[in-house]
Amino acid sequence: MTVRTRIAPSPTGFLHLGTARTALYSWAYARHHGGQFVLRIEDTDVARSTQDSVQQILASMRWLGLDADEGPVYQMQRLARYHEVAEQLIAAGLAYRCWCTPEELDAMREAQRARGEKTHYDGRWRPEPGKVLPPVPAGVKPVVRFRNPSDGEVSWNDLVKGPITIANREIDDLIILRHPPEEATAELPEAARTLGVPTYNYAVVVDDWDMRITHVFRGDEHVNNTPWQINIFRAIMSLPEGTIGMLARDQRLPQYGHLPIILGDDGLKLSKRRGAVSVTAYEEAGYLPEAMLNYLARLGWSHGDEELFSREQMVAWFDGSHLSKSPAQWDPAKLAWVNAHYLKQADDARLAALVAAQLRARGAPEVEALVAGPLAPACALFKDRCATVVELADWVAMLVVAVAPSQADLDTHVTEAVKPALRTLRDRLSSVDWDRTTIAQAMKETLAAHTLKMPQLAPAVRVLVCGRAQTPSIDAVLALFTRERVLERLQHV
Ligand code: GLU
């Protein structure tokens, strides 16, 4: 059996961190087993799906480097297939048309509530031997319902949660093809308008079946859908030979693994209202994809005590075991720590390109001169002090953007005792060769001439030139600037 996994995002927003984690696990599991990973876009919610969102999702998947072997497959391009399978299910008595109007369904639920019952579809259009169905009303477009088994139970051994069993009497006859609201149908193909659009639980099954998916990882919020999906699977598997054309009879149900939700650092479900939840937001905030992957991997999975590992290590280790049953908590401080680790390791030319993009987006001046000049060495010098590319850009920005030292730093470091030395230093720097060694020499000579110590002079230079009292070695930092800029920033003493 070839392992085949998939990620199936709905294009109704950015790629959510939870979906990114599911994608990572599905990808790593497929890679671990030498299998295949499929990307499917579940765009059947026509009122909420957007092309923009599809593009964002694809871009985030690319950014994370979660390469799919197949896809993106778009569900809305597979309507004919859903219609075909639905007709086969209807012909086999495993699905049926239901002409209930929304008003009728409302009244049905109202009456059930009044009787103190749990609301459910009462099966009025469900064919039974000997049962006389109501006359088909004129002018009503029917939906198609799945004829769920009325007794017995559905069980599966969840890869994360362990054995789960649900009684079939708890499960309604689910709508599998329905008609979207009029206003959302204008641009839909004719077939969607006449026959309807598949619902999530149905399209997922037809797709997972057609795509021969063997392992489904997804969020906990879908665990209640799985009994329906398993029943629809079994119905499809029971269709007579030939009706499912291209499909092999040896195919089995996928194995399901439902991953616990991710909690925000406040212990509540990670949500848009309480902070960034999209992969894009972290890309923009200056996180590196390898850090995101490493961090996401540990949110719900472990390999011993390992905290920092590469994609290759994760693939080698990710065999579907050691998945956590309890929700993981999003920890921004840990993510920053992981990112800082990868930032330190990152190639300086790569960081330079990322920082240049940040600076361009901020409208910073002279970015191209930086790129041609000291940007990569500046990244090398500052990256140890940064958690994100944005912080790194903040450091690099001082090379081209005016700095504003705080009054407190000026008062503490740029004292009357140091000012004469600062003036001497400025004079010396105006004529020496502009490299780190010569700058260091000029500082030493200045200290000797004024009988001062480095801890008195260096912070004053830092405050004036860099706008902050702490930096890496001041001679190395000054060498990154143009001489003119250093002289200009030292001139007001
Ligand atoms: N489109 C569903 C979602 O984004 C996919 C769920 C599944 O993997 O079956 O939640």
Side-chain angles (χ1 to χ4, degrees), residues 21 160 260-261 299-300 323-329:
R21 179 187 61 171
V160 181
I261 58 167
L299 272 183
L323 287 164
S324 170
K325 283 187 177 46
S326 44
Q329 190 149 349

Side-chain angles (χ1 to χ4, degrees), residues 7 33 44 52 59-60 82 121 202 229 270 322-323 330 377 402 407 418 476 482 484:
I7 186 69
H33 289 284
T44 58
D52 193 39
S60 290
Y82 308 126
Y121 176 65
Y202 171 60
Q229 294 186 18
L270 196 65
H322 304 289
L323 287 164
W330 189 259
Q407 195 55 49
V418 178
T482 59
E484 294 65 36

Side-chain angles (χ1 to χ4, degrees), residues 11 22 27-28 72 91 104 132 140 291 330 433:
T22 308
W27 173 88
E104 251 181 287
V132 180
V140 178
W330 189 259
D433 285 348

Side-chain angles (χ1 to χ4, degrees), residues 414-479:
V414 189
T415 58
E416 291 309 317
V418 178
K419 279 182 181 173
L422 285 167
R423 285 192 282 270
T424 304
L425 178 66
R426 193 185 61 207
D427 288 345
R428 287 179 188 273
L429 291 181
S430 64
S431 56
V432 296
D433 285 348
W434 200 249
D435 60 63
R436 181 182 177 173
T437 322
T438 321
I439 292 170
Q441 189 56 34
M443 290 193 76
K444 273 196 207 112
E445 287 163 14
T446 305
L447 291 173
H450 290 268
T451 52
L452 286 174
K453 297 257 177 279
M454 196 56 115
Q456 291 162 292
L457 182 62
V461 176
R462 288 187 170 111
V463 168
L464 291 172
V465 178
C466 309
R468 46 176 109 197
Q470 267 133 29
T471 70
S473 180
I474 187 64
D475 47 3
V477 173
L478 290 184

Side-chain angles (χ1 to χ4, degrees), residues 87-344:
E87 291 303 340
Q88 292 172 8
L89 289 169
I90 293 172
L94 296 163
Y96 58 93
R97 291 202 161 78
C98 164
W99 278 267
C100 282
T101 60
E103 295 73 31
E104 251 181 287
L105 289 170
D106 283 346
M108 183 192 299
R109 289 192 205 105
E110 199 52 47
Q112 288 164 347
R113 269 193 286 267
R115 292 196 298 271
E117 290 171 20
K118 207 173 126 199
T119 56
H120 60 281
Y121 176 65
D122 66 4
R124 65 183 67 172
W125 287 95
R126 178 177 165 121
E128 302 287 1
K131 174 172 163 187
V132 180
L133 295 174
V136 171
V140 178
K141 277 186 181 174
V143 299
V144 177
R145 285 185 186 268
F146 176 64
R147 194 172 188 283
N148 199 68
S150 42
D151 42 30
E153 49 195 27
V154 194
S155 298
W156 76 97
N157 193 3
D158 198 272
L159 294 166
V160 181
K161 295 163 125 29
I164 299 181
T165 298
I166 308 284
N168 271 324
R169 65 172 183 284
E170 303 283 331
I171 313 174
D172 256 359
D173 281 359
L174 177 88
I175 295 178
I176 60 173
L177 286 181
R178 72 185 157 83
H179 297 280
E182 282 301 326
E183 61 277 12
T185 58
E187 289 176 14
L188 292 187
E190 182 62 22
R193 269 180 282 145
T194 52
L195 298 167
V197 173
T199 55
Y200 158 70
N201 278 302
Y202 171 60
V204 162
V205 174
V206 176
D207 289 351
D208 285 345
W209 174 258
D210 280 355
M211 295 170 188
R212 304 179 71 92
I213 299 301
T214 57
H215 296 78
V216 170
F217 292 98
R218 62 183 167 204
D220 225 0
E221 67 275 18
H222 288 294
V223 72
N224 293 335
N225 290 320
T226 303
W228 270 312
Q229 294 186 18
I230 291 177
N231 283 339
I232 298 175
F233 255 112
R234 294 221 164 99
I236 289 180
M237 288 161 100
S238 75
L239 285 171
E241 196 85 43
T243 45
I244 46 170
M246 65 196 228
L247 302 168
R249 305 302 298 183
D250 61 353
Q251 204 168 323
R252 283 191 269 156
L253 279 179
Q255 280 184 268
Y256 293 93
H258 292 91
L259 305 164
I261 58 167
I262 302 174
L263 299 174
D265 54 356
D266 53 4
L268 299 169
K269 186 171 189 262
L270 196 65
S271 88
K272 218 189 286 186
R273 264 169 294 129
R274 293 194 310 282
V277 293
S278 71
V279 171
T280 319
Y282 285 88
E283 180 181 358
E284 284 167 2
Y287 290 84
L288 297 175
E290 61 270 39
M292 287 308 283
L293 284 185
N294 189 151
Y295 178 73
L296 285 170
R298 284 286 291 108
L299 272 183
W301 171 78
S302 58
H303 180 80
D305 295 332
E306 306 282 352
E307 288 295 352
L308 297 167
F309 42 82
S310 66
R311 289 153 63 92
E312 291 70 27
Q313 281 170 310
M314 181 176 182
V315 167
W317 296 335
F318 197 86
D319 60 2
S321 62
H322 304 289
L323 287 164
S324 170
K325 283 187 177 46
S326 44
Q329 190 149 349
W330 189 259
D331 179 351
K334 183 172 172 196
L335 172 60
W337 173 76
V338 173
N339 204 57
H341 166 81
Y342 285 100
L343 209 65
K344 274 193 200 77

Side-chain angles (χ1 to χ4, degrees), residues 3-63:
V3 165
R4 284 175 59 87
T5 62
R6 84 313 192 267
I7 186 69
S10 304
T12 55
F14 295 99
L15 186 68
H16 188 280
L17 294 170
T19 313
R21 179 187 61 171
T22 308
L24 170 62
Y25 289 5
S26 306
W27 173 88
Y29 192 76
R31 293 285 170 269
H32 177 86
H33 289 284
Q36 286 130 21
F37 172 60
V38 181
L39 171 60
R40 180 167 84 216
I41 302 291
E42 302 210 320
D43 52 357
T44 58
D45 184 345
V46 289
R48 293 174 59 227
S49 297
T50 66
Q51 194 49 39
D52 193 39
S53 169
V54 170
Q55 295 313 326
Q56 297 282 358
I57 289 170
L58 298 183
S60 290
M61 292 289 291
R62 260 197 310 274
W63 183 68

